[in-house]
Amino acid sequence: MPTLWRNARIACLDQADRVFQSGAVITQEGRIAWVGGESELPAGLRPDRIVELAGRWLTPGLIDCHTHLVFAGQRAAEFARRTAGESYGDIARAGGGILSSMRATRSATVDELVEQSRPRLRSLTREGVTAVEIKSGYGLDLESEARMLQAAHELGAEYPVTLTTSLLAAHALPPEFDGRADDYIEILCTQWLPDLVGRKPGAGNMKSLVSAVDAYCEDIAFSAEQCDRLFSAARALGLPVRMHAEQLSNVGGSLVAARHGALSCDHLEYANERDVQALAASGTVAVMLPIAFYALAEEQRPPIALLRRHGVPLAVASDCNPGSAPTASLLLALNMARRLFGLTSAEVLQGATRNAARALGLGNELGSIEPGMAADFAVWSIDTLDEIGYWAGFNPCSMVVKSGQIELERPV
């Protein structure tokens, strides 16, 4: 039987950007069956349940489309070094950065990774996040990467979220391959990828441990040519790809991402017009990560005007990680995207719903309120939609709905 969600102000975030000031939604079997003005409800409707929303705003559930949420340990000492003037690149070259998290993560069991990562996912879900992407990339050997991916799936089963995973073994060069980056990429292509794609998260689970392949294309990480080889191997196995590119310099990562039809290209502070044109032509989503920009005290902003001019879809994500974005708040990322990057309130809301779903290859399933889509909602105790991305350090989400079921309800 259907459920009627009534007396709501609804931002559909569909392609028409419909908004209903006095709206209603009908859900059935975890899907949206109808949305519209409450005065236009279908005749003869006899819902099994009525949920009164008392004039609150209802949006699609938020989607955090770029996180490194599973890791062990922390890097607070490195943050202190950066605030004292050392650069992220200098710390990484001296054996810190990602390699510091690698050492902690390699020594952790799956259960320990789940235990340490659980509070971060819990924090996101309380902000209305109903879908999340989690990357590997702190293990940097086959079994440690597998444990990270397994921990991500166990967290996804524990919390009311749609989970996607990205294999980010091309995150940094592990010490046992020092000076042999090409050899490492070859092993990823010929051994690790086929192995991990064939593994399942548990008995009876038909999903692969890996949903997509990611890479860090940067002068302190991997070259464009190396990422191109990795993406060719991933696409041959039927896996979509994503890319960290142009964060600290420009070594051609965006062009590689576009050539392989990447779902997303993330960071992009040093992207130029040629890069943006390529992303526009490939339909790749540009994911803005303002918390990393803030935490690293960077000065080069992404080329927002170019991205807008060429019609590249913009998403916003938390980048939750222990080094460059020590956060577990997508709402904070939305605030920073507005204040630091100049995104509008409409752009950040689209960037955490419709465009974020597209960045995960889930645009036909999540990210908008329209018939046939998953019944994933966030309900907000706010006066206007401008308040999403306005508040910092305050959470106005008062209800979270996943597949038509209320998973969280709290006073605000």
Side-chain angles (χ1 to χ4, degrees), residues 306-326:
L306 280 176
L307 292 163
R308 286 172 176 154
R309 185 184 313 151
H310 291 284
V312 178
L314 297 174
V316 181
S318 73
D319 197 14
C320 171
N321 76 71
S324 62

Side-chain angles (χ1 to χ4, degrees), residues 58 65 73 146 161 170 176 182 190 203 247 268 283 294 302 328 337 371 385:
L58 185 148
C65 65
V161 293
E176 54 268 31
D182 283 337
T190 61
Q247 180 187 10
L268 295 175
Y294 161 80
L385 291 175

Side-chain angles (χ1 to χ4, degrees), residues 75-295:
R75 288 173 18 213
E78 289 183 13
F79 184 74
R81 290 168 63 185
R82 290 203 307 275
T83 57
E86 287 190 66
S87 75
Y88 181 81
D90 287 343
I91 291 171
R93 292 184 188 96
I98 293 165
L99 295 184
S100 176
S101 292
M102 178 205 73
R103 291 186 287 272
T105 300
R106 282 186 175 183
S107 67
T109 66
V110 170
D111 288 346
E112 288 168 340
L113 289 170
V114 169
E115 182 68 22
Q116 292 189 48
S117 304
R118 184 180 287 121
R120 297 186 280 272
L121 183 55
R122 184 187 306 124
S123 175
L124 290 176
T125 60
R126 289 176 176 174
E127 291 188 343
V129 171
T130 56
V132 63
E133 182 256 14
I134 299 177
K135 304 178 192 297
S136 68
Y138 293 123
L140 305 183
D141 65 37
L142 177 59
E143 293 309 320
S144 298
E145 291 287 295
R147 287 199 301 276
M148 290 187 71
L149 295 165
Q150 181 65 40
H153 280 278
E154 293 190 13
L155 286 165
E158 184 177 333
Y159 283 86
V161 293
T162 297
L163 171 76
T164 71
T165 56
S166 296
L167 176 66
L168 183 58
H171 198 193
L173 189 64
E176 54 268 31
F177 282 87
D178 186 32
R180 297 189 296 124
D182 283 337
D183 292 343
Y184 181 61
I185 292 295
E186 181 66 17
I187 284 177
L188 297 188
C189 294
T190 61
Q191 297 181 30
W192 294 20
L193 264 177
D195 184 318
L196 292 171
V197 168
R199 298 196 197 189
K200 309 300 180 186
N205 193 327
M206 297 305 294
K207 289 184 177 180
S208 168
L209 277 179
V210 181
S211 307
V213 171
D214 203 336
Y216 188 23
C217 190
E218 190 54 73
D219 59 4
I220 61 170
F222 295 94
S223 71
E225 188 277 333
Q226 289 162 346
C227 294
D228 184 69
R229 287 165 52 200
L230 177 64
F231 283 6
S232 293
R235 301 297 287 139
L237 291 170
L239 288 170
V241 295
R242 310 185 66 200
M243 178 74 92
H244 292 59
E246 279 72 76
Q247 180 187 10
L248 306 174
S249 63
N250 190 322
V251 297
S254 294
L255 299 178
V256 173
R259 186 158 58 249
H260 289 276
L263 292 174
S264 75
C265 198
D266 306 15
H267 288 292
L268 295 175
E269 281 87 338
Y270 285 83
N272 58 36
E273 187 157 17
R274 182 187 178 199
D275 301 323
V276 171
Q277 290 173 326
L279 295 175
S282 65
T284 299
V285 176
V287 180
M288 302 293 98
L289 302 171
I291 295 178
F293 173 87
Y294 161 80

